[in-house]
């Protein structure tokens, strides 16, 4: 039993210190080695998180019962003795960077579970870590970035304590931590247009595919993948099947998902049409605005409950008793609007332009008269706005406040323009028109908030487009809400009315509803949730694109972008990877076989993507919340699997 | 008390105002539109009258009101049917009628009521219960004054509430050419109406049944979605609209859920998808409908577009997205950013176009269009699209519906499936109930649409009048169907119970007339009413009005022997006779009523006698239309047509389905309202 010297570098002794030489025999188990190392350092501290890292083999030597011999460690090995948990800079979907303690020894999958636990994100299996894009000049910029240090936050036991406001207990230790939690759970103000323009965005499908080459391998540890202490990684939703999303418990998850979706849209990672972009912009604006006013979203669940309870109660009252109050209420005279406005009806082919009349708005109808004095007589015309389309035609600079009405009639749409004198008048009449188009009257409770939101939206136009970066008050640059393509296409002036148009459909949503709506529309985009990889199919010389979605694989022609073929997972019989030639082979029902090698990503990433989605699809059936990690690794681990 | 009094009087004032305004607004407009649907006036009138009267005659007044309502409704129907062209007449006639009814009522109640129009008691239950109370009330009148006041307030409130509810009388055309007339209020969804029709027609209740709106002007057709409020699409129809509502089976209604693979994997050959396993279909549905957002089928392809009022059809490459329908502009690719939005779905509905090859020189006959529901005539704002084949069109139309309605569509489907599975057992129960009371085996006949055996209750009905207690039975019967309180189904029961008498007779004849199952509304009745007016003496019969409503349903069901046998009462009331005679009345209205003239002889006398109950008349008329009322008027066969005379065009043919089938008049209905009323009244009484 010959003893030999094992070379161990202990971090705690400092980078300059010579490596320790520990005398061991091959039969000594790892636990014994560690004991000897600790004794030799003569440092008293908690060593429980420390482990041995075998640098040459890129291996953690963590099995305390194994002997050195069994681990294959001989005299030529140089081991590092270091903590398994180290700080990691983590870029969140919302752009914030936090410094927190991550496990460098556990597989990335487990590491992400730990990170998500600290961040209070449920269903961590949907997320993973992405290497940041390597950029040359960005170094300097990064140094300016604020990094929120929450390395002190650790979740002690399995069960998470949550405070009354939905904040986990480990964020309650200090004001700074609470502030960080707010950053996590409340969506960020709209970015400056310049930021959007400067940030990298994939220009084509190949660049989109390259992004997916940066995912870390879930079955190996951070250190094995050459991620070191204080390195930067991005935490992102990877599998786009969001299981059991409940606003009440998922404040951070929902917010971060929204942020990821918003950036995906702003950076044109996912294509959408102009109409969709305007709606996204309107929702972003609304979410930004409501986030400022509404307290923490986490406090809303209780409010929701209360609200719904109240609503139920109201309904009941309404039904049960004759609802006297209600009835009396409706008997009070309905509010009306009266004013001199100008009207223009392009239909008539007259060039006279706008003519002034005395207008009355009652219920859902507009009537106009020659003058105020005539208003007791028959109106010149009465227009019922129910079901009509209301479009703003506004220019603050030009002091133009017009409302375009498209009023449906049996023989078509009646086009009418109303011109108001000023913002206040416009806001009132516009709000009335909008409500009327939905069949609501001025008496509706939402009228005043409608007026308000129109006013505040108008205020957007007043601000100087050059400045605005943060959405600190009412003012915001509409260029912050759209992708660079539309920044180029439209001036803020042109953009505002278009966004306003969409905004009228979402202005009444609560914060949570707005976020959910945003996510819904995002998920409704045709290309949603498709991860692209450039591959070479067996037998083909050309590069092609493979899209992996939650339910299918898509073969896409690289040059044209057309979908060539779609295979659904439920017709898939098996898939496997030949790790020697790095080729993925998939067999479908009916003897359909495909095989391809991957160009822009390691085949392990592709393999993991497919296996990951299949794993995700198994979740819905078992309602238990426990994460079946073993199954995940079985499906994604490849030859390194357990 | 003072407070209450003050409040009450205030409310009365308010209500008066309301009525007035309503009268002004709704009535005039309605009259012109033969098809008009707004019914507000009816209910309004009701409120007024009832309120005032209640003080003294509470129940009686109510009944009178009911009668009036009936009259109004009937009149409307009559005017619409008969007078399709003569739009002006209806209004005036209405007024006349309403007055008459009040007059009749006066016997019991002050004439003041006359102003009130009518609420048609759709609900049988309500109607039944009310009847008995009146009798009781008479004796107790003075005793219960205090209570009455409380009642009044409640009633007033309820009426106000009801007055705000828009109601329409809708004529639904069955697939066999017959039709049923239903009272629909604005709270009812298409699903409710379908359930109602299931009960009335005893069809197989499968999920493909659908109400479909057609427009001859535009040559369009659209299956109404189950969640839509029935009144809404109909409200867009113009007054002289020839539009119809059809009750038919449409496979495409829920095809998406039965065979989702055909829509979501549409690129594959459909034959290969044929034998997809149920489990896989479920997975598809789950994937597309059960996630956080709905996935719209990714349709794309070449369609021909005609828009902006241009004549030509331009081929364009279209793509469907959740946010709207897009096409690829010339020289661009189909990347999202380049797409041009043709239309977003918030404000438009999708319609099938019929025979557009002829009408618009479309490349094929497989066309669909997108338009605002309000647009009823050709317009540059309608987007017409033409597909190469029928299946492509189904794909697009279904895809657009998914994009527009999303999850709602799936929920509709699930509800429909549930209803279907439960309805089978349901019908059984109903039929059994009915059968028990009445020996006649009507139940089986039910399966045909039109011929449904009358309510079983019929037998009981006769007795009802005499004994109040019985009313409950009808109620009991109703409960089962009661998907909606205000729904028609109950009415039949009520009819049976109360008025069963009148209706049956007519029905016997009615049998021949398959079309008008729901004849309650039929225009003819109004005529009768007019005549009826004359004989105020009969006022007591107020109940009959109630019956009137119910009766219509009966005809639909089955005139069989039971009706005649069980109904005997009607004759007693003079209804039967009135019916025949009733026709003549038209003169009163100023109707030319040429046909009536032919009949005049017998009817007129009888009509006079009968006058009391306009409603009965209505029944009678309905029946005549359908067929001759067996008992009283032998001549009936001709008379019925006469009755119809006002609407000679439509009804004369008798057999042929009414042109206007659908929508028509707004009727003051209010099954709910009636129910509420009755309940309220009974509540008050019981404590005493």
């Amino acid at each position: 039993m010959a003893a030999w010297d094992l070379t161990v570098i202990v971090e705690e002794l400092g980078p300059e210190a010579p490596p320790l030489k520990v005398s061991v025999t091959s039969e000594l188990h790892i636990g014994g080695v560690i004991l000897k190392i600790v004794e030799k350092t003569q440092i008293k501290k908690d060593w429980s998180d420390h482990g041995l890292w075998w640098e040459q083999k890129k291996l953690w030597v963590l099995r305390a019962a194994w002997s050195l011999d069994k681990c294959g460690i001989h005299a030529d090995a140089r081991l590092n003795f270091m903590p398994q948990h180290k700080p990691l800079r983590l870029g969140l979907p919302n752009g914030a960077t936090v410094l927190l303690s991550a496990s460098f020894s556990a597989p990335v999958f487990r590491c992400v579970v730990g990170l998500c636990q600290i961040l209070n994100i449920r269903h961590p299996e949907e997320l993973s870590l992405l290497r940041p894009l390597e950029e040359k000049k960005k170094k300097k910029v990064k140094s300016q970035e604020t990094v929120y240090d929450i390395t002190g936050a650790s979740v002690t036991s399995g069960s998470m304590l949550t405070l009354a406001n939905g904040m986990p207990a480990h964020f309650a230790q200090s004001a700074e931590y609470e502030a960080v939690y707010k950053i996590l759970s409340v969506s960020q103000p709209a970015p400056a247009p310049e930021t959007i323009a400067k940030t990298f965005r994939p220009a084509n499908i190949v660049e989109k595919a390259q992004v997916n080459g940066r995912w870390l391998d879930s079955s190996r540890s951070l250190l094995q993948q050459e991620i070191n202490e204080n390195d930067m990684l991005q935490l992102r939703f990877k599998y786009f099947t969001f299981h059991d999303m409940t606003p009440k418990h998922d404040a951070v998850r929902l917010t971060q998902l929204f942020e990821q979706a918003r950036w995906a849209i702003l950076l044109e990672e996912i294509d959408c049409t102009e109409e969709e972009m305007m709606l996204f912009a309107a929702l972003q604006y609304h979410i930004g605005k409501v986030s400022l006013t509404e307290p923490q979203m986490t406090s809303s669940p209780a409010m929701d409950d209360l609200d719904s309870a109240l609503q139920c109660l109201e309904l009941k009252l309404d039904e049960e008793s004759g609802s006297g109050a209600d009835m009396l209420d409706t008997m009070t005279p309905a509010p009306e609007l009266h004013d001199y406005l100008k009207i223009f009806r392009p239909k008539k082919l007259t060039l006279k332009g706008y003519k002034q009349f005395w207008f009355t708005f009652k219920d859902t109808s507009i009537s106009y008269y020659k003058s105020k004095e005539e208003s007791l007589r028959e109106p010149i015309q009465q227009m019922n706005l129910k079901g009509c389309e209301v479009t703003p035609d506004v220019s603050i600079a030009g002091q133009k406040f017009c409302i375009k009405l498209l009023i449906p009639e049996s023989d078509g749409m009646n086009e009418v323009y109303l011109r108001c004198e000023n913002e206040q008048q416009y806001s009132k009449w516009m709000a009335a028109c909008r409500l009327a188009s939905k069949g609501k009257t001025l008496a509706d409770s939402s009228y005043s908030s409608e007026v308000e939101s129109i006013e505040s939206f108008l205020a957007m136009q007043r601000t100087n487009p050059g400045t605005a970066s943060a959405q600190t008050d009412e003012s915001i640059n509409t260029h912050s809400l759209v992708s660079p393509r539309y920044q180029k296409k439209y001036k803020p002036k042109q953009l505002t009315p278009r966004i306003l148009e969409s905004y009228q459909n979402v202005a009444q949503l609560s914060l949570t509803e707005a976020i959910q709506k945003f996510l819904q529309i995002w998920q409704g985009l045709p290309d949603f949730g498709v991860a692209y990889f450039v591959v070479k199919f067996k037998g083909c010389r050309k590069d092609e694109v493979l899209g992996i979605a939650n339910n299918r694989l898509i073969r896409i022609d690289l040059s044209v972008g057309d979908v060539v073929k779609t295979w659904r997972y439920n017709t898939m019989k098996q898939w496997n990877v030949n790790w020697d030639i790095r080729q993925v082979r998939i067999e479908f029902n009916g003897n359909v076989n495909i095989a391809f090698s991957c160009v822009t990503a390691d085949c392990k990433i592709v393999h993991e993507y497919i296996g990951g989605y299949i794993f995700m699809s198994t979740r819905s059936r078992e309602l238990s919340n426990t994460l079946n990690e073993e199954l995940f690794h079985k499906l994604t681990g490849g030859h390194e699997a357990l | 008390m003072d407070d209450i009094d003050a409040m009450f009087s205030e409310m009365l004032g308010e209500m008066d105002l309301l009525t007035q305004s309503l009268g002004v607004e709704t009535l005039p407009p309605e009259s012109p539109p033969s098809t008009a649907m707004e019914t507000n006036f009816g209910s309004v009138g009701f409120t007024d009258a009832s309120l005032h009267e209640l003080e003294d005659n509470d129940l009686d007044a109510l009944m009178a009101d009911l009668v009036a309502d009936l009259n109004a409704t009937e009149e409307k129907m009559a005017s619409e049917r008969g007078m399709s062209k003569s739009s002006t007449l209806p209004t005036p006639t209405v007024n006349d009628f309403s007055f008459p009814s009040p007059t009749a009522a006066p016997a019991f109640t002050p004439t003041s009521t006359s102003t009130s129009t009518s609420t048609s008691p759709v609900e049988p239950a309500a109607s039944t219960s009310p009847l008995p109370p009146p009798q009781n009330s008479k004796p107790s009148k003075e005793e219960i004054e205090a209570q009455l006041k409380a009642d009044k307030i409640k009633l007033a409130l309820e009426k106000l509430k009801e007055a705000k509810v828009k109601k329409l009388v809708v004529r639904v055309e069955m697939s066999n050419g017959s039709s049923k007339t239903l009272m629909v209020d604005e709270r009812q969804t298409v699903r409710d109406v379908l359930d109602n029709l299931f009960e009335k027609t005893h069809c197989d209740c499968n999920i493909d049944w659908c109400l479909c709106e057609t427009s001859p002007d535009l040559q369009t057709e659209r299956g109404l979605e189950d969640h839509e409020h029935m009144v809404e699409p109909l409200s867009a129809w113009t007054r002289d609209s020839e539009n119809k509502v059809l009750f038919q089976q449409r496979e495409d209604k829920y095809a998406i859920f039965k065979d989702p693979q055909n829509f979501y994997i549409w690129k594959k050959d459909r034959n290969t998808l044929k034998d997809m396993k149920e489990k896989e279909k479920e997975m598809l549905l789950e994937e597309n409908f059960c996630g956080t957002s709905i996935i719209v089928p990714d349709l794309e392809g070449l369609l021909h577009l005609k828009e902006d009022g241009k004549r030509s059809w331009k081929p364009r490459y279209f793509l469907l997205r959740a946010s709207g329908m897009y096409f690829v502009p010339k020289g661009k690719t189909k990347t999202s950013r380049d797409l041009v939005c043709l239309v977003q779905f918030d404000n438009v509905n999708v319609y099938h176009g019929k025979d557009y090859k002829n009408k618009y020189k479309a490349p094929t006959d497989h066309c669909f269009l997108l338009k605002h529901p309000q647009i009823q005539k050709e317009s540059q704002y309608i987007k017409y699209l033409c597909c190469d084949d029928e299946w492509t069109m189904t794909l697009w139309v279904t895809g657009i519906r998914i994009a527009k309605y999303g999850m709602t569509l799936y929920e509709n489907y699930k509800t429909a499936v549930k209803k279907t599975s439960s309805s089978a057992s349901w019908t059984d129960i109903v039929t059994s109930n009915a059968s028990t009371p009445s020996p006649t085996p009507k139940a089986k006949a039910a399966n045909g649409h039109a011929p449904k055996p009358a309510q079983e209750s019929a037998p009981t009905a006769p007795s009802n009048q005499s004994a109040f207690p019985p009313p409950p039975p009808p109620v009991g019967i109703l409960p089962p169907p009661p998907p909606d309180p205000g729904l028609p189904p109950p009415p039949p029961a009520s009819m049976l119970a109360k008025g069963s008498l009148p209706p049956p007779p007519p029905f016997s004849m009615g049998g021949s007339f398959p079309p008008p199952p729901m004849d309650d509304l039929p225009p003819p009745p109004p005529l009768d009413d007019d005549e009826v007016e004359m004989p105020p003496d009969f006022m007591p019969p107020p109940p009959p009005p109630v019956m009137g409503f119910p009766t219509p349903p009966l005809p639909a069901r089955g005139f069989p022997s039971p009706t005649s046998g069980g109904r005997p009462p009607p004759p007693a009331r003079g209804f039967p006779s009135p019916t025949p005679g009733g026709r003549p009345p038209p003169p009163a209205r100023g109707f030319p009523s040429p046909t009536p003239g032919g009949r005049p002889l017998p009817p007129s006398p009888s009509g006079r006698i009968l006058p009391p109950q306009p409603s009965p008349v209505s029944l009678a008329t309905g029946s005549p239309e359908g067929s001759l009322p067996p008992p009283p008027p032998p001549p009936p066969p001709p008379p019925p047509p006469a009755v119809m005379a006002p609407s000679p065009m439509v009804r004369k043919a008798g057999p042929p389905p009414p042109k206007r089938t659908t929508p028509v008049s707004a009727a003051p209905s209010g099954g709910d309202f009636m129910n509420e009323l009755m309940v309220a009244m009974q509540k008050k009484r019981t404590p005493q």
Side-chain angles (χ1 to χ4, degrees), chain A residues 10-12 45-53 60 80-87 102-105 223 229:
Chain A
V10 180
E11 265 186 13
E12 274 69 16
K45 62 168 278 183
D46 176 11
W47 295 97
S48 64
D49 189 43
H50 280 58
L52 287 170
W53 166 250
W60 281 93
N80 289 43
F81 189 59
M82 59 161 109
Q84 298 176 49
H85 285 84
K86 287 181 177 176
S103 167
F104 278 71
S105 62
L223 210 53
E229 185 174 350

Side-chain angles (χ1 to χ4, degrees), chain B residues 531-542:
Chain B
E531 287 201 290
V532 176
E533 299 173 2
M534 308 305 290
D537 308 359
F538 277 87
M539 294 319 292

Side-chain angles (χ1 to χ4, degrees), chain B residues 191 207 225-227 253-260 264 278-279 281-291 293-295 398 401-418:
Chain B
R191 179 76 252 159
I207 57 170
E225 304 296 345
D226 285 358
H227 66 277
K253 185 180 186 187
Y254 288 128
I256 176 80
F257 302 111
K258 287 189 274 190
D259 289 304
Y264 281 99
E278 281 307 313
K279 208 174 169 194
K281 292 184 187 176
E282 271 169 41
M283 279 187 61
L284 260 183
L285 285 181
E286 197 174 310
E287 239 172 64
N288 293 296
F289 286 92
C290 301
S293 76
I294 296 280
I295 310 294
T398 308
R401 286 168 61 216
I402 297 170
K404 180 171 170 68
Y405 303 108
M407 197 56 200
T408 316
L409 212 55
Y410 191 40
E411 271 153 17
N412 286 348
Y413 168 72
K414 288 192 278 190
T415 317
V417 170
K418 248 186 242 158

Side-chain angles (χ1 to χ4, degrees), chain A residues 417-436:
Chain A
Y417 288 81
L418 295 182
R419 181 161 194 158
C420 303
E421 280 300 305
N422 52 48
E423 278 176 50
Q424 291 75 27
Q425 195 184 46
Y426 169 82
S427 305
K428 274 196 248 164
W429 285 79
M430 184 65 176
C433 290
R434 279 198 201 157
L435 289 185

Side-chain angles (χ1 to χ4, degrees), chain B residues 54-221:
Chain B
L54 278 181
E55 309 200 6
D56 310 328
N57 308 326
D58 72 343
L59 290 176
D60 290 332
L62 274 180
M63 294 321 297
D65 284 341
L66 285 178
V67 178
D69 291 354
L70 284 179
N71 287 342
T73 341
E74 292 173 356
E75 185 230 7
K76 270 199 179 175
M77 293 297 296
S79 64
E80 290 177 0
R81 285 191 196 168
M83 323 287 315
S84 55
K85 301 295 144 95
S86 62
S87 54
T88 41
L89 282 181
T91 8
T93 45
V94 174
N95 291 339
D96 291 355
F97 279 118
S98 62
F99 276 94
S101 61
T103 53
F108 294 137
T109 50
T111 10
S112 61
T113 25
S114 64
T115 47
S116 72
T117 0
S118 55
T119 338
S120 56
V122 177
E123 292 223 340
S127 59
T128 48
S129 51
L131 287 176
Q135 294 185 359
N136 291 333
S137 67
K138 283 186 182 179
S140 59
K141 271 185 203 170
E142 287 129 22
E143 306 173 0
I144 328 172
E145 263 186 31
Q147 281 209 349
L148 279 182
K149 257 194 186 161
D151 278 349
K152 285 181 223 157
I153 292 170
K154 211 171 196 172
L155 279 177
L157 287 174
E158 271 161 13
K159 283 179 185 169
L160 263 182
K161 199 166 158 192
E162 193 66 20
K164 287 195 293 191
V165 178
K166 196 199 244 176
K167 287 158 202 133
L168 295 185
V169 173
V170 181
R171 187 100 172 266
V172 179
E173 199 164 291
M174 304 289 133
S175 41
N176 64 1
S178 68
S179 74
K180 287 188 187 296
T181 311
L182 307 174
M183 174 85 65
V184 179
D185 79 37
E186 62 183 344
R187 295 163 298 195
Q188 284 180 293
T189 62
V190 170
R191 179 76 252 159
D192 297 332
V193 177
L194 281 176
D195 291 344
N196 196 353
L197 282 167
F198 284 172
E199 243 156 66
K200 292 214 155 86
T201 60
H202 296 250
C203 63
D204 61 0
C205 302
N206 75 52
I207 57 170
D208 287 341
W209 284 103
C210 162
L211 285 171
C212 176
E213 120 186 77
T214 63
S215 159
D217 280 350
L218 288 169
Q219 295 181 16
T220 58
E221 193 175 304

Side-chain angles (χ1 to χ4, degrees), chain A residues 5 61 85 155 252 278 284 291 340 401 478 484 532 584 605 618:
Chain A
D5 280 351
V61 188
H85 285 84
V155 184
V252 180
M278 295 308 144
Q284 284 179 71
S291 299
Y340 277 106
F401 302 100
T478 43
Y532 300 102
V584 182
I605 294 178
T618 64

Side-chain angles (χ1 to χ4, degrees), chain B residues 344-386:
Chain B
Q344 296 190 287
F345 304 127
D346 304 326
N347 290 321
V348 299
N349 282 339
V350 58
Y351 299 76
H352 287 276
K354 295 279 169 220
D355 196 22
Y356 275 12
K357 223 168 155 176
N358 264 333
K359 188 174 167 92
Y360 295 123
K361 300 214 163 55
T364 75
D365 261 339
H366 311 293
C367 297
F368 66 95
L369 58 146
L370 294 153
K371 69 171 182 76
H372 194 290
Q374 212 80 28
I375 300 179
Q376 297 288 321
K377 294 186 183 126
E378 267 181 57
S379 152
Q380 53 165 332
Y381 295 95
I382 301 179
K383 321 261 186 223
Y384 302 90
L385 289 142
C386 183

